[in-house]
Amino acid sequence: MTTTTTTAGAPAVATDATRWTQLIICIVCMILIANLQYGWTFFVNPIAKAHGWSLASIQFAFSIFIAP
């Protein structure tokens, strides 16, 4: 008779290396998106003036753009 062990009930344990890797990846992602957010502020007012759109609709479009 063969015995099989499973880890279905075992809690997930992250190593220090995994935690540092996740932190570095998150910081890099925040830096990448911050450039888009900062650059976007230069275009909001000209878009609103050119097309007559509200700031809320322009920001909603930007949110859809950066969401995926």
Side-chain angles (χ1 to χ4, degrees):
M1 185 163 148
T2 312
T3 311
T4 307
T5 58
T6 62
T7 59
V13 179
T15 64
D16 285 339
T18 303
R19 291 179 181 154
W20 279 106
T21 303
Q22 288 176 346
L23 177 64
I24 291 168
I25 290 171
C26 289
I27 289 171
V28 169
C29 288
M30 288 301 296
I31 291 169
L32 292 173
I33 196 67
N35 290 328
L36 285 174
Q37 291 171 335
Y38 179 70
W40 180 253
T41 61
F42 292 115
F43 298 107
V44 172
N45 290 331
I47 290 172
K49 288 178 185 174
H51 299 288
W53 299 338
S54 70
L55 293 178
S57 62
I58 296 170
Q59 294 298 54
F60 181 69
F62 177 71
S63 298
I64 292 172
F65 172 70
I66 64 169

